[in-house]
């Protein structure tokens, strides 16, 4: 491995992401489900995208059209899927460079048709059904069915590719056999009316995986759009109580350098007002504690709540834009100035850290490290 001299550093283990991808692609395949690998959570880092593509994701998906356009220019063979409804100014590129888009507005679909005609090109759409999470999608199933028939019967260039749904987002609604089965019933009704099968019945994201693992996902679901579980693998395990020993949690590790170690009171001194971000945090008086400051901050990881110290006895106590403060009183390690500490993370941190230009990235290539499951 190259000597690494510059911190903060995000160490990205492609080996582990590859293992996670193979594992999930396989268990989904057994249920007749293919995976759209969602790459927005890692800023579409090319090496990671490559691992998802090699690992058997049938589609590559993002809500950011720029990330997908870049892929096309790299000649990746997977079909691309835009998973946020297109904006007006994106229509031209959607038709030109994206294979599939999620849609919920007739106005946009008509714009797509018009642009397709201009470019003499077809484009596939997946109609989104809102099953109660109240983010995107048709709330009324009859309306969705009408639009599906309209596309099938009246549009020449826009092709009805399937239906989909998004859950556990705005409304934190859990995917269940019942709500996903409702989507399947809507799909069946459309299929009966158009006299052919839909290509895609897309049953959500990472949070639909527990249904796959429990063998409780409706049979008709044939696609999931997965980002987090492939890329970080921690939310699923820690938030949802699924301890999958075949999944790696530490696909990405933040490494940061200690720039101060001192013993200080744990309760601030003086009149308490606001912190650097206008909040009024509460502090617990634990007496004098040994703490360290690391040179990385909220500009890089945004929230410290979801960072996971990997050294024993280290506890995050706060952060500002450029500093992360940890309590090391209970650590048995003899930390020194200049030492490096490691942190695992949840999806949100990966999202921010991969996008921060102040964080260097180091890739551990396939087989560079032993396959150790943390
Ligand atoms: C982000 C997103 C996903 C992927 O979600 P994960 O939790 O990362 O699996 C799937 N579908 C849509 C519409 C999204 O916006």
């Amino acid at each position: 491995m190259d000597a690494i001299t510059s911190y903060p550093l995000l160490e990205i283990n492609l080996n582990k992401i590859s293992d996670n991808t193979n594992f999930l692609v396989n268990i989904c395949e057994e249920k007749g489900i293919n995976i759209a690998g969602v790459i927005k959570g890692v800023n579409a880092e090319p090496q990671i995208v490559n691992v998802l593509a090699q690992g058997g994701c049938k589609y590559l998906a993002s809500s950011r059209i720029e990330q997908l356009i870049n892929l096309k220019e790299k000649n990746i063979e997977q079909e691309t899927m835009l998973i946020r409804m297109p904006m007006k100014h994106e229509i031209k590129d959607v038709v030109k460079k994206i294979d599939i888009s999620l849609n919920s507005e007739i106005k946009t679909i008509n714009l797509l048709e018009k642009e397709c005609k201009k470019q003499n090109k077809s484009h596939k759409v997946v109609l989104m059904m809102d099953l109660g999470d109240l983010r995107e999608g048709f709330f009324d199933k009859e309306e969705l069915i009408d639009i599906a028939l309209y596309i099938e019967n009246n549009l020449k260039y826009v092709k009805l590719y399937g239906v989909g749904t998004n859950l556990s987002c705005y409304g934190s609604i859990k995917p269940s056999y019942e709500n996903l089965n409702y989507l399947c019933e809507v799909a069946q009704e459309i299929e009966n009316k158009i006299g052919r099968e839909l290509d895609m019945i897309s049953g959500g994201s990472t949070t639909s995986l527990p249904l796959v693992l429990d063998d409780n996902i409706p049979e008709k679901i044939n696609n999931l759009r997965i980002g987090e579980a492939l890329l970080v693998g921690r939310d699923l395990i820690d938030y949802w109580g699924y301890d999958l020993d075949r999944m790696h949690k530490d696909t990405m590790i933040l490494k940061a350098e200690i720039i101060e170690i001192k013993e200080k009171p744990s309760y601030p001194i003086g009149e308490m007002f606001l912190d650097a971000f206008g909040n009024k945090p509460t502090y617990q008086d634990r007496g004098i504690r040994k703490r360290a400051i690391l040179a990385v901050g909220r500009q890089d990881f945004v929230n410290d709540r979801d960072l996971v110290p990997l050294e024993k006895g280290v506890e995050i106590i706060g952060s500002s834009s450029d500093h992360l403060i940890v309590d090391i009183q209970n650590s048995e390690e003899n930390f020194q100035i200049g030492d490096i500490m490691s942190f695992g993370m949840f999806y949100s941190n990966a999202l921010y850290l991969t996008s921060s230009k102040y964080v260097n990235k180091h890739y551990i290539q396939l087989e560079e490290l032993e396959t150790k499951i943390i």
Side-chain angles (χ1 to χ4, degrees):
M1 206 195 299
D2 297 336
I4 298 153
T5 49
S6 185
Y7 295 91
L9 184 85
L10 184 64
E11 194 180 83
I12 301 169
N13 191 317
L14 297 175
N15 215 359
K16 292 181 179 178
I17 296 175
S18 174
D19 280 355
N20 287 358
T21 308
N22 289 330
F23 174 69
L24 290 177
V25 165
N26 284 337
I27 59 162
C28 285
E29 210 165 68
E30 282 171 21
K31 305 273 181 313
I33 295 170
N34 59 52
I35 292 184
V38 178
I39 60 177
K40 67 186 186 206
V42 288
N43 201 26
E45 283 300 318
Q47 306 216 45
I48 303 178
V49 173
N50 200 32
V51 167
L52 299 191
Q54 301 290 325
C57 292
K58 184 168 179 198
Y59 310 89
L60 291 169
S62 181
S63 40
R64 307 277 165 174
I65 194 168
E66 298 85 349
Q67 296 179 351
L68 297 175
I69 290 172
N70 285 342
L71 291 187
K72 269 287 178 252
E73 284 161 6
K74 292 200 177 70
N75 292 322
I76 282 206
E77 66 182 45
Q78 273 74 7
E79 283 194 297
T80 53
M81 196 165 154
L82 182 66
I83 56 175
R84 183 172 68 187
M85 287 77 69
M87 288 184 265
K88 250 192 307 192
H89 80 269
E90 292 175 328
I91 295 283
K92 202 169 157 186
D93 278 337
V94 171
V95 170
K96 198 165 174 183
K97 299 179 173 161
I98 308 297
D99 300 299
I100 305 162
S101 61
L102 304 187
N103 281 276
S104 63
E105 289 292 348
I106 182 69
K107 250 186 167 169
T108 310
I109 292 166
N110 282 332
L111 285 178
L112 286 169
E113 174 74 6
K114 218 168 134 192
E115 182 60 33
C116 281
K117 189 171 178 194
K118 222 168 160 184
Q119 297 185 25
N120 192 26
K121 207 168 173 288
S122 65
H123 177 74
K124 299 168 182 164
V125 296
V126 172
L127 295 180
M128 294 300 274
M129 177 84 208
D130 189 336
L131 298 175
D133 196 62
L134 310 184
R135 202 176 79 177
E136 74 270 52
F138 294 93
F139 197 65
D140 176 12
K141 102 173 183 189
E142 297 306 331
E143 193 187 347
L144 185 144
I145 293 172
D146 282 351
I147 304 284
L149 295 178
Y150 167 77
I151 296 171
E152 183 74 5
N153 299 325
N154 298 64
L155 301 188
K156 191 169 160 203
Y157 298 91
V158 169
K159 305 289 178 201
L160 178 64
Y161 196 59
V163 294
T165 193
N166 193 61
L167 291 156
S168 36
C169 225
Y170 171 74
S172 27
I173 296 303
K174 208 171 164 174
S176 65
Y177 183 88
E178 290 70 29
N179 55 26
L180 290 186
N181 198 46
Y182 187 75
L183 177 73
C184 295
E185 285 170 14
V186 173
Q188 187 63 56
E189 218 173 308
I190 295 171
E191 290 178 342
N192 292 345
K193 289 188 165 141
I194 63 176
R196 68 171 175 94
E197 284 195 356
L198 293 169
D199 295 278
M200 180 179 280
I201 322 283
S202 187
S205 62
T206 293
T207 56
S208 292
L209 282 172
L211 293 175
V212 175
L213 297 167
D214 290 347
D215 204 6
N216 194 27
I217 191 146
E219 210 174 300
K220 210 168 166 55
I221 299 291
N222 67 5
N223 169 270
L224 293 176
R225 309 172 308 271
I226 311 274
E228 185 278 316
L230 297 170
L231 302 167
V232 188
R234 189 183 287 273
D235 303 43
L236 184 70
I237 299 164
D238 286 17
Y239 285 164
W240 295 74
Y242 279 82
D243 200 357
L244 298 172
D245 56 6
R246 298 264 316 274
M247 296 276 293
H248 301 281
K249 290 183 182 188
D250 290 310
T251 55
M252 288 183 242
I253 293 175
L254 171 66
K255 299 195 162 185
E257 183 172 329
I258 300 177
I259 51 173
E260 182 186 294
I261 299 177
K262 291 195 190 304
E263 297 202 344
K264 291 191 188 181
S266 42
Y267 198 80
I269 297 132
E271 187 191 347
M272 218 168 263
F273 187 49
L274 299 171
D275 75 359
F277 291 93
N279 303 314
K280 271 182 184 262
T282 52
Y283 303 86
Q284 192 193 348
D285 191 354
R286 303 162 76 192
I288 304 283
R289 306 282 295 182
K290 189 172 178 190
R291 340 153 327 146
I293 297 181
L294 298 147
V296 66
R298 287 206 219 170
Q299 182 164 4
D300 310 302
F301 52 71
V302 181
N303 62 66
D304 61 45
R305 189 197 63 189
D306 286 344
L307 288 172
V308 182
L310 295 181
E311 276 96 9
K312 253 197 171 150
V314 174
E315 192 186 325
I316 293 174
I317 56 174
S319 56
S320 67
S321 6
D322 312 298
H323 303 80
L324 175 62
I325 313 173
V326 294
D327 184 303
I328 53 174
Q329 181 79 33
N330 298 335
S331 168
E332 282 165 18
E333 283 200 45
N334 184 20
F335 287 113
Q336 302 294 322
I337 300 302
D339 281 356
I340 305 302
M341 270 188 194
S342 300
F343 299 85
M345 67 193 67
F346 283 83
Y347 180 76
S348 67
N349 299 124
L351 175 73
Y352 303 126
L353 286 164
T354 48
S355 315
S356 172
K357 67 174 179 177
Y358 300 102
V359 177
N360 290 307
K361 296 185 190 81
H362 174 72
Y363 288 97
I364 294 177
Q365 300 294 336
L366 299 183
E367 272 128 47
E368 193 175 316
L369 268 193
E370 80 281 24
T371 321
K372 189 174 130 210
I373 295 173
I374 297 181

